[in-house]
Amino acid sequence: EQAGEFDAAIALFTELGTFSNSSEWITETQNAKAYAAAASLMASEKYEEAIGAFKALNGYSDSATKISECKYAAATSLMASEKYEEAIEAFKALNGYSDSTTKIDECNVAILEREYQKALKLMTDEKYEDSIKAFKALNGYSDSATKISECNTAILEREYQKALKLMTDG
């Protein structure tokens, strides 16, 4: 059993029948086998499956801790995949486990930065009115106020150029 040969150990303990505490060792070996399988799922980043497997162990060994570790790893994976809103919900569900509160803050900043980049793109594409709305939604993040001012100036310049063209065209 300690060498990880669970099926062989279970067979030997079964062969022992009622001798000593062999039935307890069968249960222990079955739990150890299930724990190893759950740990393997976790190592393969199959977190949802691993969580289910650890839950099925009903508190065996440190399975409760492993469940939290899987949930944290899954949330971190969502964050790495830039699925910040989903990551925030996953970190919140951890109720302060590890540095999940810090990770929530990092996700919120990443969301703001993503939206800031979208607003910049609108500005670059000369969609100034849309860009102003996007920068306003950022509630002062980074240099949003300056960018709003630049967009307003660009709108005025665009309108001025239109007026000049009309005047030139008579």
Side-chain angles (χ1 to χ4, degrees):
E1 187 240 354
Q2 290 187 0
E5 297 180 32
F6 303 113
D7 292 331
I10 291 169
L12 289 172
F13 287 128
T14 302
E15 232 177 82
L16 289 170
T18 59
F19 179 77
S20 188
N21 56 351
S22 59
S23 64
E24 292 172 26
W25 277 105
I26 290 171
T27 302
E28 168 62 26
T29 305
Q30 289 169 335
N31 285 335
K33 179 182 177 182
Y35 182 92
S40 177
L41 289 169
M42 184 177 173
S44 300
E45 299 180 5
K46 296 178 181 175
Y47 302 118
E48 292 305 315
E49 293 176 51
I51 289 168
F54 282 121
K55 281 182 179 178
L57 288 165
N58 295 319
Y60 173 79
S61 185
D62 64 346
S63 57
T65 301
K66 292 295 184 189
I67 290 169
S68 294
E69 288 175 14
C70 285
K71 288 179 179 180
Y72 179 84
T76 303
S77 179
L78 287 169
M79 186 177 172
S81 300
E82 298 181 6
K83 296 177 181 175
Y84 302 117
E85 292 81 1
E86 293 176 51
I88 288 170
E89 292 308 311
F91 283 123
K92 282 181 180 177
L94 287 164
N95 296 318
Y97 175 80
S98 185
D99 63 346
S100 57
T101 304
T102 302
K103 295 292 187 188
I104 290 169
D105 292 341
E106 289 174 19
C107 286
N108 282 320
V109 170
I111 290 168
L112 286 172
E113 184 59 30
R114 178 182 65 204
E115 296 307 309
Y116 177 83
Q117 292 302 321
K118 287 179 184 177
L120 279 179
K121 174 85 169 89
L122 289 168
M123 186 177 173
T124 303
D125 293 345
E126 299 181 6
K127 296 178 181 177
Y128 301 116
E129 292 81 4
D130 292 336
S131 183
I132 289 170
K133 288 178 190 172
F135 282 122
K136 282 183 178 179
L138 292 170
N139 296 317
Y141 175 75
S142 187
D143 62 348
S144 296
T146 302
K147 295 298 182 189
I148 290 169
S149 178
E150 290 174 18
C151 286
N152 282 322
T153 301
I155 289 169
L156 290 173
E157 181 62 29
R158 179 180 65 201
E159 295 306 310
Y160 177 77
Q161 291 302 322
K162 284 180 186 177
L164 276 179
K165 181 164 177 10
L166 289 171
M167 189 173 87
T168 307
D169 294 345

